[in-house]
């Protein structure tokens, strides 16, 4: 692993555990085992390290959302198992992915002190997921499976428990297999109950 990647990896670890403001350049260099002056060969300052981490996160997350959006164009019927497959990707490759989870932790911490990071937190924790889910319910309405229920309301009703389980199990304290399993258990139970309550024709 090259030095720049080591700086990014250790910075990600330290920022996600302690918050961006609490970590010093000296601490990062101590972990990477380089002189403090050496870090400036790769990054202008500490904020530049954070910016590169977030930029990588946004590119990866945008690519995932584009795949999700593209999948909607092929929907002409509904099956809960197909929806669960989308959830699998979102849960496993986003919320529980080591890199993405750590960046989400950083945004969760720093959104309280930084307006720019607060906007990014809003986008990736609320706006993007809710927009996608709203689009799904719009499609289900167009397929006449929901009796024209309000898509935005359904998106919020669906997502609120997911957000709660994310905060409780995935963004609180050290992430481990016990927490991942508790998240999966509760999240998938909610999904099953949610679609039972909707009573979609032919969907279950």
């Amino acid at each position: 692993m090259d030095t720049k990647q080591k700086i990014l990896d250790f910075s990600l670890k330290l920022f996600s555990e302690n918050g961006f403001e609490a970590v010093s350049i000296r601490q990062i260099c101590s972990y990477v085992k380089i002189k403090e002056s050496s870090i400036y060969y790769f990054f202008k300052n500490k904020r530049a390290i954070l910016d590169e981490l977030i930029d990588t996160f946004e590119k990866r997350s945008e690519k995932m959302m584009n795949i999700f959006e593209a999948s909607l164009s092929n929907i002409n019927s509904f099956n809960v198992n197909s929806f669960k497959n989308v959830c699998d990707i979102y849960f496993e490759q986003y919320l529980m992915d080591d890199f993405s989870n750590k960046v989400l932790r950083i945004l969760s911490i720093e959104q309280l002190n930084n307006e720019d990071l607060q906007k990014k937190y809003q986008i990736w924790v609320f706006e993007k997921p809710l927009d996608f889910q709203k689009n799904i319910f719009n499609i289900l309405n167009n397929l006449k499976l929901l009796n024209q229920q309000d898509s935005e309301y359904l998106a919020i009703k669906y997502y609120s428990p997911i957000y709660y389980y994310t905060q409780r199990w995935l963004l609180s304290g050290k992430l481990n297999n016990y927490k991942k399993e508790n998240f999966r258990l509760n999240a998938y139970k909610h999904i099953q109950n949610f679609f039972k309550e909707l009573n979609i024709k032919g969907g279950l």
Side-chain angles (χ1 to χ4, degrees):
M1 186 186 301
D2 63 30
T3 302
K4 182 178 180 180
Q5 191 58 51
K6 285 182 181 179
I7 293 170
L8 289 168
D9 289 349
F10 282 115
S11 296
L12 177 65
K13 170 182 165 60
L14 292 169
F15 294 162
S16 67
E17 292 175 353
N18 305 293
F20 172 74
E21 294 295 340
V23 176
S24 68
I25 287 289
R26 180 174 294 180
Q27 285 176 290
I28 296 169
C29 292
S30 176
Y31 271 83
V32 181
K33 296 182 174 20
I34 59 174
K35 294 179 180 179
E36 193 169 337
S37 58
S38 300
I39 202 168
Y40 298 108
Y41 175 80
F42 301 98
F43 297 98
K44 180 180 178 181
N45 50 38
K46 186 175 71 164
R47 181 56 195 256
I49 301 173
L50 178 62
D51 287 344
E52 181 154 337
L53 289 169
I54 291 177
D55 183 61
T56 300
F57 165 79
E58 290 190 305
K59 286 177 180 175
R60 289 173 56 171
S61 301
E62 196 67 60
K63 183 177 180 180
M64 179 187 70
M65 293 306 299
N66 288 340
I67 292 171
F68 288 166
E69 291 294 339
S71 70
L72 294 182
S73 62
N74 299 318
I75 293 181
N76 51 29
S77 62
F78 180 76
N79 185 286
V80 171
N81 287 329
S82 297
F83 184 82
K84 183 179 177 297
N85 290 337
V86 173
C87 293
D88 285 342
I89 297 172
Y90 181 73
F91 295 162
E92 303 294 334
Q93 298 182 29
Y94 183 66
L95 295 179
M96 288 187 280
D97 171 73
D98 184 65
F99 176 80
S100 295
N101 182 270
K102 285 176 179 173
V103 174
L104 288 170
R105 285 168 178 263
I106 295 168
L107 294 179
S108 180
I109 295 168
E110 297 303 324
Q111 55 124 356
L112 301 174
N113 306 306
N114 185 296
E115 187 175 345
D116 179 53
L117 297 182
Q118 182 186 61
K119 289 178 182 177
K120 293 184 183 298
Y121 179 82
Q122 289 289 323
I123 289 169
W124 292 106
V125 175
F126 294 110
E127 292 177 18
K128 292 281 188 180
L130 284 170
D131 283 347
F132 174 73
Q133 287 143 21
K134 182 180 176 181
N135 287 340
I136 288 179
F137 295 122
N138 277 330
I139 289 171
L140 297 185
N141 267 320
N142 292 336
L143 292 171
K144 303 187 185 309
L145 295 175
L146 293 179
N147 298 318
Q148 297 304 308
Q149 294 189 54
D150 185 273
S151 297
E152 185 173 357
Y153 168 75
L154 289 176
I156 294 171
K157 185 177 180 180
Y158 164 78
Y159 186 64
S160 294
I162 300 298
Y163 173 74
Y164 165 73
Y165 296 135
T166 299
Q167 293 296 320
R168 180 176 182 182
W169 297 112
L170 304 183
L171 297 180
S172 176
K174 187 175 181 180
L175 185 62
N176 53 39
N177 288 332
Y178 171 78
K179 289 187 174 183
K180 288 180 181 180
E181 284 305 313
N182 273 280
F183 173 83
R184 293 185 186 105
L185 178 67
N186 286 280
Y188 285 118
K189 182 178 180 181
H190 159 64
I191 292 168
Q192 192 70 23
N193 289 335
F194 178 82
F195 283 105
K196 280 183 179 178
E197 288 176 10
L198 282 183
N199 193 27
I200 294 176
K201 300 173 185 177
L204 292 169

